Amino acid sequence: MIRTPISRRAALMGMGAVGLSFTLPKGGFAASGKVNFYNWDTYIGETTLEDFTAATGVEVQMDLFADNDELFAKLRGGNPGYDLIVPTNDYVERMILAGMLTELDHSKIPNMANIGSGFLNPAFDPGRKFSLPYMWGSIGIGYRKSAVSSVPDSWAHLYTSDEYAGRISMLSDGQNVFGMALKLMGKSLNDWTPENIAAAEEMLIAQKSRITAFAPDNGQDLLLSGEVDLAMEWNGDILQVMGEDDDLGFVIPKEGGLLWEDTLCVPVGAPNPEGAHALINYLLDAEAGAKIAEFIYYATPNAAAKALTAEEYRTNPAIFPPDEAVAKSETAVYPGQEAVQMIDEAWTRVKAAG
């Protein structure tokens, strides 16, 4: 039986649901016989780490971070002793550019053979020199079926229409909100020209009075409680509430959305890179990967693992969107510091607008 999905982007709530809680000691780590794993909250299988230790004799000590900014900041000034980390695609690129990641030794990761072919050469890490895929998902629109006249299959319902005025929530992250505006304009969500940023800003300011909230990771809760009827959200978060209310649905708009990918990386300065490679290989094992996927309920890029999962997981369109929706969607790449500054400044003006 597949469990109710857990949001890996939720605020830290402890690992009670997974049954694991580890705190890294102050002042460093013991490198011998232990892998120091820095991961998202509730983002591992129920017994994965114990099973790995039983199979290899290598212990795993896990610490938790809340978001990519926290992960980046923790390692930017020097690795305090982590062996394995789980950054999202655009942060992988940032870390590569900053010299923060170690090249992987693919010969020590034979379970790479289990990865689906579509995940082997991403734009953010060509040839997968520094990262291997862990889970993936999308941004789309969660909606209340009984409150809509038809499936809201366009970003226009959120960005330009008055049909659901006062019943809309969007994410609180400016880059993602602007990126979906670019998709609506028929542009790439990575096309961060000053003109495109200005057009997205203008669109959002014009629509702002119709938007109920820019929700910091709780749009799914607003949808579940009935405070909004449409919510721009991560698919995993909408899946979480779909399990509680069958009147809720999820769609990637016809213009396409954002595809995110969380990855497995070894940071520079890892005290136990051999152990990190062993853990990566274990996480990419077909059976271990299937157990992780069914427990955390995110889409696995592991083709061999997916083949072992239950049909209700494999065929759920909110986990694995239709191929045509995926084909129109994009993975974000790091826009560069100048573009980041322009986006941040434009987003500040949107939030301040009356």
Side-chain angles (χ1 to χ4, degrees):
M1 179 179 179
I2 297 179
R3 65 193 302 279
T4 300
I6 299 172
S7 169
R8 74 105 163 105
R9 286 182 170 79
L12 292 176
M13 296 179 294
M15 291 290 285
V18 181
L20 298 169
S21 180
F22 300 97
T23 303
L24 295 175
K26 297 178 180 178
F29 307 81
S32 178
K34 182 182 290 185
V35 174
N36 300 298
F37 188 20
Y38 200 25
N39 192 14
W40 297 85
D41 185 26
T42 59
Y43 209 38
I44 195 71
E46 189 170 21
T47 63
T48 303
L49 300 185
E50 293 99 324
D51 293 345
F52 170 74
T53 299
T56 64
V58 178
E59 296 180 6
V60 180
Q61 185 164 279
M62 187 160 69
D63 199 11
L64 310 175
F65 60 86
D67 55 40
N68 280 290
D69 287 334
E70 181 181 347
L71 168 65
F72 188 84
K74 177 76 81 170
L75 277 81
R76 188 66 179 92
N79 185 355
Y82 296 112
D83 299 303
L84 183 61
I85 59 175
V86 192
T88 306
N89 46 271
D90 50 332
Y91 276 77
V92 172
E93 189 172 9
R94 287 185 68 181
M95 289 180 163
I96 292 171
L97 293 172
M100 297 167 64
L101 299 180
T102 298
E103 285 199 36
L104 299 174
D105 185 343
H106 291 174
S107 70
K108 296 177 180 177
I109 313 173
N111 282 332
M112 273 187 67
N114 292 333
I115 296 171
S117 60
F119 295 91
L120 293 177
N121 193 38
F124 62 87
D125 182 17
R128 307 251 48 151
K129 292 181 180 179
F130 295 91
S131 69
L132 287 172
Y134 182 55
M135 292 289 160
W136 68 278
S138 58
I139 286 178
I141 300 174
Y143 62 97
R144 183 163 292 282
K145 300 173 186 177
S146 61
V148 299
S149 55
S150 61
V151 175
D153 63 350
S154 172
W155 288 115
H157 291 293
L158 272 65
Y159 283 85
T160 59
S161 173
D162 63 358
E163 183 177 1
Y164 300 102
R167 308 292 296 170
I168 297 169
S169 72
M170 292 189 178
L171 293 171
S172 60
D173 173 49
Q175 184 171 329
N176 286 325
V177 175
F178 277 28
M180 297 309 99
L182 296 185
K183 294 297 287 184
L184 178 58
M185 290 187 281
K187 303 178 184 299
S188 167
L189 60 80
N190 292 305
D191 192 2
W192 295 112
T193 65
E195 295 78 15
N196 286 348
I197 294 171
E201 176 187 345
E202 182 179 356
M203 180 186 294
L204 282 157
I205 289 175
Q207 183 73 348
K208 188 179 179 186
S209 64
R210 300 167 180 159
I211 299 170
T212 305
F214 292 104
D217 200 40
N218 68 334
Q220 71 275 14
D221 299 322
L222 299 176
L223 188 64
L224 181 64
S225 67
E227 295 174 67
V228 301
D229 296 325
L230 301 183
M232 173 189 178
E233 262 297 349
W234 307 100
N235 66 317
D237 290 349
I238 298 299
L239 271 164
Q240 191 175 21
V241 293
M242 285 172 64
E244 300 178 46
D245 187 341
D246 59 11
D247 191 33
L248 301 181
F250 176 83
V251 62
I252 293 180
K254 60 188 179 184
E255 299 88 4
L258 176 144
L259 300 178
W260 57 263
E261 182 187 311
D262 288 332
T263 71
L264 302 166
C265 300
V266 178
V268 167
N272 189 2
E274 294 291 324
H277 278 74
L279 181 53
I280 291 172
N281 192 57
Y282 185 81
L283 295 175
L284 296 179
D285 173 76
E287 184 176 347
K291 290 179 180 178
I292 295 168
E294 289 192 337
F295 191 76
I296 66 175
Y297 227 51
Y298 278 92
T300 178
N302 187 327
K306 182 180 177 182
L308 299 179
T309 59
E311 182 179 1
E312 63 178 289
Y313 169 83
R314 296 195 310 272
T315 61
N316 190 325
I319 301 175
F320 295 99
D323 290 344
E324 58 270 24
V326 172
K328 294 179 180 179
S329 299
E330 300 175 79
T331 300
V333 298
Y334 177 52
Q337 190 54 47
E338 183 178 350
V340 168
Q341 184 174 345
M342 287 192 295
I343 295 165
D344 287 346
E345 290 172 352
W347 184 235
T348 296
R349 290 190 292 270
V350 169
K351 290 188 292 184

